[in-house]
Amino acid sequence: MSHITAIARHILQLGILGTACLTVGFSAIFIYLSPKLPDVDALRDVRLQTPLRIYSRDGLLIGEFGEKRRTPVQYEEVPELFIKAFLAAEDDRFYLHHGVDIAGLLRAASQLIVSGSIQTGGSTITMQVAKNYFLSQERTFSRKFNEIFLALKIERALSKPEILELYINKIFLGNHAYGIEAAAQVYYGKSISELELSQMAMIAGLPKAPSAYNPIVNPQRAKLRRNWILGRMKQLGYIDADSYQTAVSSPVTATYYGSRLQADAAYVAELTRQDMIQRFGLDAYNDGYHVYTTVDSKLQSAANRAVIDGVAAYDWRHGYRGPEQHWPLPDDYSGPATPADSEFPVAPDPWLKKLRGLGTVAIWQPALVIAVEERSVEALLANSERITLGWEQGLSEARRFIDPNRRGKAPQQAADVLKRGDVIRVLPGKAGWQLSQLPQAQSALVSLDADSGAILSLVGGYDYRLSAFNRVTQAQRQPGSNFKPFVYTAALANGFTAATVINDAPIVFEDDQLESTWRPTNDSGKFYGPTRLRQALYNSRNLVSIRLLRELGIANAIDYVARFGFEADKLPRDLSLALGSHSMTPMKVVEGYAVFANGGYKVEPYLIERIEDHDRAEIYRAQPAIVCRECEDDQDNSTDGETASAPIEELATIEAVLAQTGAQEEQSAAPMAERVLDERVAYLIDDILQDVVRKGTARRARQLGRGDLAGKTGTTNGPTDAWFSGYGGGVVTTTWVGFDKNQNLGRREYGGSVALPIWMDYMKVALKGRPERQLKQPEGMVSVRIDPRSGRLAKAGQDDAIFEIFRTEQAPQEEVEALTAEHPMAVEQEAVEIF
């Protein structure tokens, strides 16, 4: 008995000595490492890296940028079962320990002794928080000790819910998703509150090894991990048997959702991203900024659709170019062997995989022709769906493209159009799927609030994924006749009237140095003789415009049109200026037209309305100079463009206008837009531009049924560019159509046939609910009956007399002496300095 007692005594002594040594060693390590440990109080003010998020004016997400996708959530927002899924997977004793689980550490130590290497870390959730926020990912003993000591400090400083909140927002869960809300969006396209139990368990299984248990890449392995977690939840009493059985029986439904954007405005988002990088540098990607743009999501959607429909209509009426590709299908191939809804296809179909790789472009889906009948074809979509294209679903209209001006004969049977193995594009229509093709032409649309310059919608091309080149801000194209209103406005401000007559006759300019001649013509190829300026503009007469610029003087014209925002040093100093031969962007054109639309004021286009930081505190709000018509009496309306400051008592009026345009409501002194046109000149050019719609080259726009529409078509030589810029109801919009490589659009394509329909489709939505807005006729103007041929005062009782508007001092005083039915047309020759 004494021998046994002695052995027990020695064992006890060794145990006490070992414990003492461990305590001393542990204390020594703590004393050594403690001064180097970070202050855990910093966790209370931790700033998680969150991406840059961009929104429309009405709060819809249109862009997200940053390598780490993260949407922090509060502990109270997390479903209880989601928390329990993580506890079952990572630390079921979380509420029992104080940061360190001795049993877990002993288990990890035993694995180390047996295997000779670190197998598991025995980390609690608190220890993982310590590692994720303060330490590296390296597997070393020093890091493990730091992790333990930090976990103990964290448990003393924070509550269990606070620790869990830090954990669920920081952990990496694969596919650039950090935190559970981002993971729910990436894998299931929904918020954590919408997840099913099986989906919660799937996400809870990811922290152990995000790549190994990724449900998209390794669905079978991820399912095993998910089911193990569900079993642990059942074992721990977190769920009952029925819930467990339902969850483990659920298929793997995870797929990659990417950014969960709520509106399609990729070109807007990219412009905003560039602006934010200029403001904040690369920190903009991770500092959690929320940027609200001026873009209206409904108008943006209408703009997207208008551009797509416009280029599709143009492209299809010029002929079918044939399939995108042709694949040599085996004779026995008739589609995928496994059903589309199979969870784990036994043998992935190689043709289906290639088809999916092509991707959808805008509204055009890829399809593979697998059977051709007499007047129909059967095709396979990327989602494995089989569709049938009937004769009236594009096949009968698929006349072959020859060149921009010619098409081939109408097909007689489906085999004249397609064959088995052809890869085509289809789009959904009222009568089912329609045969189509990706347009080669491109288009751009930009729309502004005419009184503030706020960008309401912007489309830089028909699909950003196909081409990120933003044709609104980057494409330098010739505006053609779209530029004429600026020259005519300069003329009206410098002594000409709407009734001034200029001869529309052939004219030749010779340049001896280039040994060439320039013989400009009208689009129709005809000459119309003496023509009033009003008529010349709404009918877009080129020769009148050239002669007008010559009489006005190129230097005078350039000096004047610069007030619209054009860079004078980039404008050509020759008579081609009258025909819009210089290149500019659609953004610059619409900026100029905004002056017509608002009655003569210069506004600057702007895109960012306000910026909020990660705490949703506002750190920037736009303060655009806006049109304040109520302040007109207190401004200097001279044509030199100078503007007087508003008195203090007028500030409330200005703020009221700002509130209506969505600009800064709380600023104490709102900037006013500068008047750059005399109000009488602005009224005259607006009235002439309304005639473009009433009876000129944009008559088609009368279908919108409004009396305040005004604008101008534009078509360049070739034609290679088609434009329409116009306005109504306070909205000004420019549309452009052309090829990126300046190819010919076709001899019967003009601004009125290509660009105007896009403008109309968009403005039909943009003007809905907006009252008509007509400029008020200023004082000092008079309406006079004139002879339509000479522009002079009509004789009393003249039957064909018409009314014209004049500035009072310019009204005609002399009656026409003789009325002639015809006017001589002269050919003029003169040298052009540069052409």
Side-chain angles (χ1 to χ4, degrees):
M1 186 71 177
S2 61
H3 179 69
I4 296 174
T5 301
I7 292 175
R9 185 181 301 112
H10 285 302
I11 291 174
L12 179 61
Q13 290 173 347
L14 288 173
I16 294 172
L17 180 62
T19 301
C21 289
L22 285 173
T23 302
V24 171
F26 199 76
S27 298
I29 294 172
F30 178 78
I31 292 171
Y32 174 75
L33 294 177
S34 183
K36 302 179 181 180
L37 294 177
D39 185 2
V40 298
D41 285 337
L43 289 173
R44 296 188 182 277
D45 301 314
V46 69
R47 185 170 175 177
L48 295 169
Q49 289 186 341
T50 52
L52 168 66
R53 290 191 172 94
I54 301 168
Y55 301 88
S56 63
R57 184 178 65 186
D58 44 337
L60 299 187
L61 182 66
I62 61 175
E64 185 175 81
F65 298 93
E67 184 177 347
K68 295 183 178 181
R69 293 190 59 193
R70 179 184 279 117
T71 304
V73 294
Q74 296 183 345
Y75 175 80
E76 294 78 14
E77 299 173 316
V78 185
E80 184 180 358
L81 277 181
F82 211 168
I83 294 293
K84 290 182 176 179
F86 276 103
L87 296 181
E90 297 292 322
D91 188 0
D92 60 275
R93 289 171 47 80
F94 176 73
Y95 285 103
L96 301 177
H97 62 65
H98 298 286
V100 178
D101 187 357
I102 301 301
L105 289 176
L106 291 176
R107 182 169 61 252
S110 65
Q111 291 175 348
L112 173 62
I113 293 172
V114 172
S115 65
S117 61
I118 298 175
Q119 300 295 312
T120 60
S123 295
T124 63
I125 284 178
T126 311
M127 291 169 67
Q128 291 184 54
V129 169
K131 177 180 65 177
N132 289 336
Y133 283 89
F134 295 117
L135 305 173
S136 68
Q137 299 296 319
E138 61 178 347
R139 289 191 165 191
T140 62
F141 287 109
S142 62
R143 195 221 72 194
K144 178 58 69 174
F145 280 118
N146 279 325
E147 188 177 304
I148 291 171
F149 296 142
L150 277 172
L152 295 172
K153 292 180 69 174
I154 288 171
E155 287 277 349
R156 290 196 298 270
L158 303 176
S159 66
K160 291 290 186 179
E162 288 175 324
I163 295 170
L164 281 171
E165 184 175 307
L166 290 169
Y167 173 73
I168 61 178
N169 284 317
K170 182 73 173 180
I171 49 175
F172 175 58
L173 298 169
N175 286 102
H176 301 286
Y178 290 78
I180 58 175
E181 178 64 24
Q185 300 287 357
V186 166
Y187 294 111
Y188 299 107
K190 50 189 178 182
S191 178
I192 55 175
S193 61
E194 303 171 293
L195 294 178
E196 300 172 3
L197 173 59
S198 61
Q199 296 168 336
M200 296 178 188
M202 183 68 79
I203 292 175
L206 290 169
K208 183 177 178 66
S211 58
Y213 296 114
N214 188 312
I216 299 173
V217 179
N218 298 307
Q220 292 177 317
R221 191 173 183 184
K223 187 175 183 180
L224 291 174
R225 173 73 174 163
R226 179 200 72 179
N227 289 349
W228 178 85
I229 293 172
L230 290 168
R232 288 283 297 151
M233 293 180 74
K234 177 174 174 289
Q235 181 182 350
L236 294 168
Y238 295 160
I239 58 175
D240 57 31
D242 289 341
S243 298
Y244 166 78
Q245 195 59 48
T246 301
V248 296
S249 301
S250 299
V252 176
T253 58
T255 187
Y256 183 70
Y257 281 85
S259 297
R260 193 182 182 185
L261 303 182
Q262 298 168 305
D264 183 6
Y267 289 100
V268 173
E270 173 59 17
L271 278 177
T272 308
R273 181 196 70 81
Q274 294 173 12
D275 189 295
M276 290 296 290
I277 295 301
Q278 290 180 351
R279 292 171 187 260
F280 302 106
L282 296 179
D283 289 341
Y285 288 129
N286 299 311
D287 284 355
Y289 293 108
H290 299 263
V291 186
Y292 287 85
T293 66
T294 57
V295 168
D296 183 289
S297 65
K298 292 181 181 178
L299 298 189
Q300 182 65 38
S301 178
N304 292 340
R305 189 71 202 199
V307 164
I308 289 171
D309 289 347
V311 293
Y314 163 80
D315 187 78
W316 191 249
R317 67 173 171 260
H318 283 269
Y320 183 55
R321 293 184 299 277
E324 283 187 24
Q325 302 179 41
H326 180 79
W327 296 343
L329 299 180
D331 293 339
D332 60 348
Y333 182 77
S334 60
T338 54
D341 59 352
S342 175
E343 186 178 348
F344 305 117
V346 177
D349 186 287
W351 304 106
L352 197 59
K353 183 178 180 181
K354 288 182 66 176
L355 195 61
R356 288 170 178 164
L358 295 177
T360 298
V361 177
I363 60 174
W364 291 276
Q365 293 192 32
L368 175 62
V369 176
I370 56 177
V372 179
E373 304 298 333
E374 182 179 359
R375 289 204 165 191
S376 67
V377 298
E378 185 179 0
L380 181 70
L381 297 181
N383 64 358
S384 303
E385 179 186 353
R386 287 176 170 82
I387 64 172
T388 299
L389 299 178
W391 188 243
E392 300 302 325
Q393 292 168 284
L395 293 175
S396 64
E397 301 172 359
R399 297 171 61 183
R400 286 287 173 159
F401 172 86
I402 297 176
D403 60 42
N405 300 313
R406 294 183 300 158
R407 294 185 298 166
K409 295 180 180 179
Q412 301 301 310
Q413 56 185 356
D416 294 340
V417 182
L418 299 170
K419 58 181 178 292
R420 191 170 181 272
D422 283 347
V423 178
I424 60 175
R425 291 282 173 170
V426 296
L427 51 81
K430 294 180 179 179
W433 292 96
Q434 299 281 322
L435 174 64
S436 189
Q437 61 190 351
L438 294 183
Q440 292 183 343
Q442 275 289 356
S443 180
L445 182 153
V446 58
S447 182
L448 308 181
D449 181 314
D451 288 346
S452 68
I455 297 174
L456 302 177
S457 60
L458 184 150
V459 183
Y462 69 79
D463 191 297
Y464 180 84
R465 292 162 296 183
L466 184 69
S467 171
F469 182 67
N470 190 335
R471 293 155 189 86
V472 169
T473 59
Q474 295 176 291
Q476 297 282 344
R477 308 294 296 219
Q478 292 182 346
S481 298
N482 221 220
F483 190 76
K484 287 178 182 175
F486 304 108
V487 175
Y488 278 67
T489 303
L492 292 173
N494 285 275
F496 292 81
T497 74
T500 299
V501 173
I502 293 180
N503 197 20
D504 181 21
I507 186 169
V508 177
F509 297 96
E510 295 184 351
D511 190 326
D512 294 333
Q513 291 182 347
L514 297 177
E515 297 183 355
S516 61
T517 58
W518 178 40
R519 293 182 175 87
T521 63
N522 294 315
D523 289 336
S524 65
K526 300 178 181 178
F527 305 100
Y528 299 90
T531 305
R532 288 174 289 110
L533 290 192
R534 175 185 290 272
Q535 190 178 14
L537 183 55
Y538 72 66
N539 282 327
S540 201
R541 301 281 167 77
N542 290 339
L543 298 174
V544 172
S545 302
I546 291 170
R547 283 188 167 91
L548 173 65
L549 178 57
R550 186 184 59 183
E551 293 186 29
L552 173 64
I554 295 173
N556 289 336
I558 290 177
D559 181 63
Y560 191 88
V561 301
R563 65 185 59 205
F564 290 91
F566 304 120
E567 298 176 72
D569 59 341
K570 293 185 178 180
L571 298 177
R573 294 186 175 272
D574 57 59
L575 293 176
S576 71
L577 175 69
L579 305 185
S581 64
H582 51 292
S583 297
M584 57 180 58
T585 64
M587 180 67 83
K588 186 56 67 176
V589 172
V590 79
E591 180 184 343
Y593 270 82
V595 178
F596 299 140
N598 63 36
Y601 298 86
K602 181 68 176 67
V603 294
E604 297 290 337
Y606 72 101
L607 184 58
I608 294 180
E609 185 64 52
R610 72 180 190 276
I611 302 172
E612 297 175 351
D613 64 14
H614 66 286
D615 291 326
R616 306 310 292 258
E618 186 177 290
I619 59 174
Y620 168 81
R621 180 175 283 269
Q623 297 185 20
I626 69 159
V627 175
C628 180
R629 295 179 185 84
E630 291 81 357
C631 312
E632 188 75 8
D633 293 339
D634 299 296
Q635 296 188 58
D636 179 5
N637 295 328
S638 64
T639 57
D640 61 5
E642 295 181 0
T643 305
S645 300
I648 297 297
E649 58 268 23
E650 293 295 333
L651 294 180
T653 303
I654 303 174
E655 289 178 354
V657 177
L658 284 166
Q660 294 175 2
T661 59
Q664 176 76 357
E665 299 177 9
E666 298 177 357
Q667 60 190 32
S668 59
M672 293 185 297
E674 176 187 15
R675 174 173 278 286
V676 294
L677 298 187
D678 178 275
E679 60 179 337
R680 296 186 297 170
V681 171
Y683 183 84
L684 282 171
I685 192 64
D686 172 70
D687 191 63
I688 298 174
L689 291 177
Q690 288 192 41
D691 267 357
V692 176
V693 174
R694 289 190 287 250
K695 51 188 174 183
T697 56
R699 290 187 299 274
R700 190 173 183 174
R702 292 184 299 181
Q703 296 174 14
L704 295 180
R706 292 180 65 102
D708 63 338
L709 300 182
K712 183 68 184 74
T713 53
T715 310
T716 61
N717 283 341
T720 56
D721 297 274
W723 298 76
F724 186 77
S725 296
Y727 54 89
V731 176
V732 55
T733 303
T734 288
T735 55
W736 165 87
V737 178
F739 291 92
D740 288 337
K741 295 183 178 180
N742 283 312
Q743 296 163 247
N744 197 314
L745 286 167
R747 60 174 171 259
R748 289 184 295 273
E749 299 293 1
Y750 302 97
S753 64
V754 187
L756 178 59
I758 296 174
W759 184 90
M760 290 171 58
D761 285 349
Y762 169 74
M763 291 293 276
K764 179 168 53 179
V765 178
L767 296 178
K768 188 176 182 180
R770 283 180 175 261
E772 291 192 7
R773 193 169 86 174
Q774 298 281 5
L775 293 182
K776 180 181 177 182
Q777 182 169 312
E779 295 181 4
M781 304 198 75
V782 61
S783 183
V784 177
R785 291 175 73 252
I786 64 169
D787 168 51
R789 286 177 290 275
S790 69
R792 295 183 179 181
L793 190 65
K795 286 188 175 183
Q798 183 174 332
D799 292 338
D800 63 347
I802 61 173
F803 281 97
E804 183 54 89
I805 305 170
F806 297 88
R807 288 188 279 183
T808 303
E809 66 274 18
Q810 293 181 320
Q813 303 297 322
E814 298 180 6
E815 289 186 354
V816 61
E817 296 180 0
L819 302 178
T820 58
E822 297 181 359
H823 299 273
M825 296 188 294
V827 177
E828 300 186 15
Q829 296 185 1
E830 63 180 58
V832 178
E833 186 177 346
I834 301 176
F835 205 87

